[in-house]
Amino acid sequence: MASHIVGYPRMGPKRELKFALESFWDGKSSAEELQKVAADLRVAIWKQMADAGIKYIPSNTFSYYDQVLDTTTMLGAVPPRYNWNGGEIGFDIYFSMARGNAVVPAMEMTKWFDTNYHYIVPELGPDVKFSYASHKAVNEYQEAKALGIDTIPVLVGPVSFLLLSKTAKGVDRSFSLLSLISKIIPVYKEVVAELKAAGATWIQFDEPTLVKDLDAHQLQAFTHAYAELESSLSGLNVLIETYFADVTAEAYRTLTSLKGVTAYGFDLVRGAKTRNLIKEGFPAGKFLFAGVVDGRNIWANNLASSLSSLQTIEDIVGKDRVVVSTSCSLLHTAVDLVNETKLDQEIKSWLAFAAQKVVEVNALAKALSGQKDEAFFSANAAALASRKSSPRVTNEAVQKAAAALKGSDHRRATNVSARLDAQQKKLNLPILPTTTIGSFPQHADLRRIRREFKANKISEEEYVKFIKEEIHKVVKLQEELDIDVLVHGEPERNDMVEYFGEQLSGFAFTANGWVQSYGSRCVKPPIIYGDVSRPKAMTVFWSSMAQSMTKRPMKGMLTGPVTILNWSFVRDDQPRHETCYQIALAIKDEVEDLEKAGVTVIQIDEAALREGLPLRKSEEAFYLNWAVHSFRITNVGVKDSTQIHTHMCYSNFNDIIHSIIDMDADVITIENSRSDEKLLSVFREGVKYGAGIGPGVYDIHSPRIPPTEEIADRISKMLAVLESHVLWVNPDCGLKTRKYTEVKPALTNMVAAAKQIRTQLAKPT
């Protein structure tokens, strides 16, 4: 009976690590106190898996920020600006790389494949001196062993580490990151040697880039790397883990031919086609770690179907050669259903969070070995039948409205340049208009008021009074700062997706279904269990109130359909695009109600559009077609004089720029500063963008306050590739995670920089 978990959530069932991190960053607690919280969480996770009967328990999947940053630290690949002088890397350097500090900015952060998790991008070049600078993997293995729990230490594999990196600033773009293989392998050898000496018998290398479209040179890098490691790995069982998609036939051949490898892990939920490759041939004597329990969603597993699949695989691979596993790390799902005491009981019976998925993995492993728990399987079948037959899942009117969308591409009747002219006549904005992305700092009193209102501890009248005062403060501050297009600050919203989901039909909500997004940032994805519609207006009350407080334009703030979809746990009983079209129709109703209420600028955030892009090129066009179409549906009916904004952040957008143009928004604000202005390169290469565009001028995920001259320099660089009449000036993203002591000076400098450049542009040449 063999069972395995790829990885597990780190934050804790009630976000214990989040609060410990933030307390440490604020100087309210010590490093020792943070380490104690982390150690307690690790121990609880290991014991939980051991008690559940899991045979192959992972270690070194815990992280204070993210596992790629941990690997950067392990390899001593610290960019020179952080002034690291060698030795074991501590919190000061580690968190400076992740978050920046008062002197230097953070490293770039981007999405982890097609998830809402983020990682810190390594900055590499030919002059990086790699050295073994963090013994975390060995320390955590020994920590578990001291408890009597033998674990599989997990490392990000050497090739995926390089393929997930970028060339450092100043390094020629033609430099091959894979040429660094021979420089990092010696460090991996040191780590492996220490793990062997500590008693490890298995080691797991995560090589998720094997699911991407790789060329022959990239595939050869895997062969080269593991040939170099072969002698060091002697005496160890080695698992190469892949996840998030199928592997190609070429990648499968490369993977199953690697030297010194004992086992291969595959995602058989999102990578169902990999099953065909397994049927065509699997190396004799090797183990297959079969990822049949979904690590990225919260629906209960179809145990009967999974068991049948496992039995088929066992017939091919051999008895006792199949290990039942999760499709990927459980990091991407919520922690434990036990904490959901208020969740609708019928819906709760359809779900499995991380703790329940551990039990499912073990139940399948036992069943495969002939020890099937008939009662457990019967209860699972009953829950699946209940979900399939429940009347609350289907709304015929919604399905009919979504079906009627076929046959139109839903484009606004007038082209964007004519619309911008009409909007300028109405808005009368200066050149280089300034704005922010939406949210303002969410302080403790604000969070307390929202909690008390939800718990019925204060009246609706008291709640509205408090939120109105908060909006007034935000409006007044923006007017004092002389920002051109204002926002109301979103004080009524804890989360940009949860807020809308709570007001749409077909959604359910958890009390503690938190999932890590990056660092200490956690989100609580809604659960889309049925057809989606909008029973009543969602934002009109607050947006109208905010607009009444100022003569300046006030943005109505909405989350777009693709982002709501990608940041939710989505029903798996119909295609994702059908659910997205339903959400688009609901947002369309809201857009039109905002316009009727006199809101002339409406922002429909699509922060997660790039995130949902399939990992394989052959599947991209279909996704982009329905995703972009969904956005256009939301605003197809508005007047030319109503300005539609959208916002995107923390992904690589250059490869989808033509789809972004095809969204046909009037203005797009987009992350730019933290990624070293990578976005601007696409315009240098000749892409023409006729709509308004605001590449972010400073990084809001760092406490650092950028000086005016730095922001002015960024604006000047933008003007070298963009026309002044389309350029907007704004931060990278919303300000909810920052403090007012950081936001006020940063925005002051931003506005001053915009005015400085306006003055320069007004001078005769």
Side-chain angles (χ1 to χ4, degrees):
M1 185 187 77
S3 52
H4 168 250
I5 305 297
V6 177
Y8 202 81
R10 309 156 180 157
M11 285 289 118
K14 296 190 177 174
R15 297 179 291 163
E16 292 89 341
L17 182 61
K18 167 192 170 65
F19 299 121
L21 282 167
E22 291 173 355
S23 177
F24 174 70
W25 292 336
D26 289 343
K28 296 176 181 175
S29 60
S30 67
E32 290 73 22
E33 289 171 302
L34 172 58
Q35 290 165 332
K36 172 70 166 58
V37 171
D40 288 347
L41 287 170
R42 285 195 298 271
V43 169
I45 290 166
W46 291 327
K47 285 185 174 178
Q48 177 190 349
M49 284 193 252
D51 291 345
I54 300 299
K55 181 176 181 180
Y56 299 110
I57 296 171
S59 60
N60 198 40
T61 56
F62 182 89
S63 179
Y64 288 102
Y65 214 88
D66 86 77
Q67 68 271 30
V68 179
L69 181 61
D70 292 348
T71 310
T72 300
T73 307
M74 181 186 84
L75 295 169
V78 181
R81 65 182 178 274
Y82 298 107
N83 295 318
W84 175 58
N85 296 314
E88 188 82 1
I89 293 173
F91 283 156
D92 183 40
I93 297 294
Y94 182 88
F95 288 128
S96 290
M97 290 193 287
R99 307 177 69 240
N101 57 42
V103 180
V104 291
M107 295 165 70
E108 179 184 350
M109 181 170 70
T110 196
K111 294 290 173 76
W112 176 246
F113 292 80
D114 57 348
T115 74
N116 187 29
Y117 182 67
H118 301 67
Y119 74 97
I120 302 299
V121 183
E123 302 172 14
L124 306 178
D127 299 327
V128 176
K129 301 288 189 288
F130 296 100
S131 63
Y132 188 11
S134 169
H135 293 67
K136 176 178 175 295
V138 177
N139 293 341
E140 290 187 13
Y141 173 78
Q142 292 173 322
E143 182 182 15
K145 192 174 183 184
L147 298 168
I149 300 171
D150 192 25
T151 60
I152 303 187
V154 180
L155 301 175
V156 174
V159 184
S160 288
F161 174 77
L162 293 177
L163 291 175
L164 292 166
S165 301
K166 70 173 186 176
T167 52
K169 209 167 187 177
V171 174
D172 192 286
R173 287 177 64 187
S174 64
F175 175 74
S176 171
L177 292 166
L178 290 176
S179 68
L180 297 172
I181 280 281
S182 59
K183 292 188 176 183
I184 67 171
I185 288 297
V187 181
Y188 274 90
K189 286 182 176 180
E190 287 187 71
V191 179
V192 169
E194 283 200 6
L195 287 168
K196 283 169 73 172
T201 56
W202 278 84
I203 189 167
Q204 176 179 320
F205 290 101
D206 281 5
E207 293 282 13
T209 54
L210 276 164
V211 306
K212 302 185 89 174
D213 293 312
L214 302 178
D215 60 31
H217 173 65
Q218 292 167 323
L219 289 172
Q220 179 59 34
F222 288 93
T223 303
H224 172 62
Y226 286 92
E228 287 283 305
L229 281 169
E230 183 182 11
S231 60
S232 298
L233 295 172
S234 176
L236 279 173
N237 291 297
V238 178
L239 164 64
I240 307 293
E241 186 67 55
T242 70
Y243 35 79
F244 298 149
D246 295 295
V247 292
T248 63
E250 294 82 3
Y252 182 80
R253 282 194 294 271
T254 298
L255 173 58
T256 53
S257 301
L258 292 179
K259 299 198 171 185
V261 176
T262 316
Y264 315 98
F266 297 109
D267 181 338
L268 300 181
V269 176
R270 292 188 172 227
K273 292 176 187 173
T274 303
R275 297 175 193 227
N276 295 329
L277 296 172
I278 295 167
K279 288 175 185 175
E280 290 167 11
F282 189 80
K286 304 291 185 179
F287 290 90
L288 192 152
F289 282 57
V292 294
V293 173
D294 192 352
R296 288 185 59 174
N297 217 327
I298 42 66
W299 303 108
N301 187 271
N302 185 328
L303 295 178
S305 175
S306 292
L307 180 59
S308 175
S309 296
L310 289 165
Q311 289 166 337
T312 300
I313 291 168
E314 189 179 55
D315 290 342
I316 299 161
V317 173
K319 192 149 184 70
D320 300 327
R321 290 284 163 181
V322 176
V323 177
V324 182
S325 185
T326 53
S327 65
C328 62
S329 173
L330 297 175
L331 171 71
H332 308 289
T333 191
V335 179
D336 196 342
L337 265 177
V338 169
N339 299 314
E340 302 304 326
T341 55
K342 296 180 181 176
L343 189 61
D344 178 286
Q345 284 302 308
E346 182 184 23
I347 293 174
K348 190 174 180 179
S349 74
W350 304 342
L351 307 179
F353 289 1
Q356 288 68 47
K357 288 177 186 292
V358 169
V359 174
E360 288 180 337
V361 166
N362 196 57
L364 285 166
K366 288 175 71 175
L368 189 62
S369 67
Q371 303 171 52
K372 184 178 179 185
D373 184 336
E374 295 292 351
F376 189 74
F377 271 67
S378 294
N380 172 259
L384 296 177
S386 158
R387 182 181 168 206
K388 190 173 182 179
S389 62
S390 176
R392 65 200 304 178
V393 170
T394 306
N395 182 322
E396 286 186 22
V398 171
Q399 294 197 350
K400 195 175 289 185
L405 294 170
K406 292 172 184 173
S408 169
D409 61 2
H410 297 88
R411 292 182 186 275
R412 292 169 77 179
T414 312
N415 67 42
V416 70
S417 60
R419 298 198 308 262
L420 289 173
D421 287 343
Q423 292 155 17
Q424 180 58 16
K425 285 175 186 171
K426 191 166 191 173
L427 300 173
N428 193 28
L429 297 172
I431 198 166
L432 305 181
T434 54
T435 190
T436 64
I437 304 306
S439 60
F440 265 64
Q442 302 246 327
H443 51 81
D445 283 346
L446 181 53
R447 291 193 292 269
R448 175 183 57 78
I449 286 291
R450 284 200 304 258
R451 282 197 307 271
E452 290 178 355
F453 179 58
K454 275 195 169 185
N456 296 317
K457 292 180 179 178
I458 60 171
S459 67
E460 183 174 2
E461 185 180 354
E462 290 172 299
Y463 173 71
V464 169
K465 181 175 182 289
F466 183 94
I467 298 297
K468 183 177 180 180
E469 289 171 357
E470 190 69 23
I471 292 172
H472 187 262
K473 287 178 197 170
V474 170
V475 171
K476 187 178 178 185
L477 171 61
Q478 291 171 94
E479 288 183 329
E480 288 170 356
L481 293 169
D482 204 17
I483 291 173
D484 299 305
V485 176
L486 311 190
V487 297
H488 75 291
E490 303 177 8
E492 79 283 14
R493 308 178 194 182
N494 176 61
D495 177 86
M496 63 187 284
V497 173
E498 183 181 4
Y499 176 79
F500 289 97
E502 284 177 334
Q503 301 181 77
L504 294 169
S505 64
F507 283 74
F509 295 87
T510 63
N512 291 291
W514 298 99
V515 178
Q516 185 182 14
S517 178
Y518 62 85
S520 68
R521 168 87 171 130
C522 297
V523 293
K524 197 163 47 156
I527 298 165
I528 305 178
Y529 68 84
D531 290 333
V532 177
S533 62
R534 185 197 73 145
K536 61 180 182 179
M538 302 180 285
T539 65
V540 175
F541 175 76
W542 299 116
S543 291
S544 301
M545 176 190 292
Q547 183 62 81
S548 71
M549 297 176 183
T550 181
K551 293 181 179 178
R552 301 187 185 210
M554 172 67 64
K555 286 197 270 192
M557 300 300 304
L558 305 175
T559 302
V562 184
T563 296
I564 290 176
L565 183 88
N566 285 336
W567 286 358
S568 297
F569 291 125
V570 183
R571 58 189 294 191
D572 58 358
D573 58 347
Q574 71 176 17
R576 288 173 70 88
H577 67 270
E578 290 184 14
T579 302
C580 197
Y581 286 149
Q582 293 178 0
I583 302 169
L585 286 171
I587 300 299
K588 179 177 185 288
D589 290 344
E590 187 71 12
V591 167
E592 291 171 3
D593 279 352
L594 281 169
E595 185 182 56
K596 286 174 192 167
V599 178
T600 55
V601 181
I602 302 171
Q603 182 169 307
I604 308 165
D605 283 346
E606 283 296 14
L609 186 137
R610 174 64 174 76
E611 174 186 310
L613 191 70
L615 300 176
R616 306 296 277 283
K617 290 281 184 191
S618 60
E619 300 168 10
E620 287 181 0
F622 177 70
Y623 167 78
L624 288 169
N625 181 56
W626 64 255
V628 169
H629 187 191
S630 296
F631 177 82
R632 290 200 306 263
I633 287 167
T634 64
N635 59 88
V636 66
V638 300
K639 302 170 189 169
D640 287 356
S641 56
T642 297
Q643 190 166 82
I644 298 296
H645 289 224
T646 191
H647 170 67
M648 297 181 179
C649 56
Y650 299 103
S651 286
N652 179 12
F653 299 106
N654 293 25
D655 55 348
I656 63 163
I657 192 66
H658 294 288
S659 294
I660 291 173
I661 294 169
D662 199 37
M663 291 170 72
D664 199 27
D666 298 311
V667 178
I668 179 169
T669 52
I670 195 162
E671 182 271 326
N672 170 68
S673 64
R674 185 156 181 173
S675 57
D676 293 331
E677 298 159 350
K678 188 191 304 177
L679 173 71
L680 299 186
S681 66
V682 80
F683 301 113
R684 293 190 193 102
E685 291 161 7
V687 171
K688 299 297 180 189
Y689 195 78
I693 182 166
V697 295
Y698 80 90
D699 175 25
I700 63 86
H701 289 301
S702 169
R704 178 175 174 270
I705 297 162
T708 300
E709 288 306 319
E710 180 183 307
I711 297 175
D713 182 57
R714 286 191 187 278
I715 298 170
S716 296
K717 287 179 181 175
M718 295 171 190
L719 286 169
V721 292
L722 293 164
E723 298 290 337
S724 59
H725 70 278
V726 301
L727 186 62
W728 285 63
V729 177
N730 47 263
D732 264 350
C733 203
L735 304 169
K736 69 184 292 183
T737 61
R738 300 269 55 89
K739 299 171 183 170
Y740 274 105
T741 53
E742 300 158 346
V743 165
K744 289 177 184 178
L747 291 180
T748 297
N749 294 350
M750 184 187 83
V751 173
K755 290 180 176 179
Q756 181 179 313
I757 301 297
R758 282 176 198 159
T759 302
Q760 292 174 13
L761 291 173
K763 290 177 182 176
T765 54

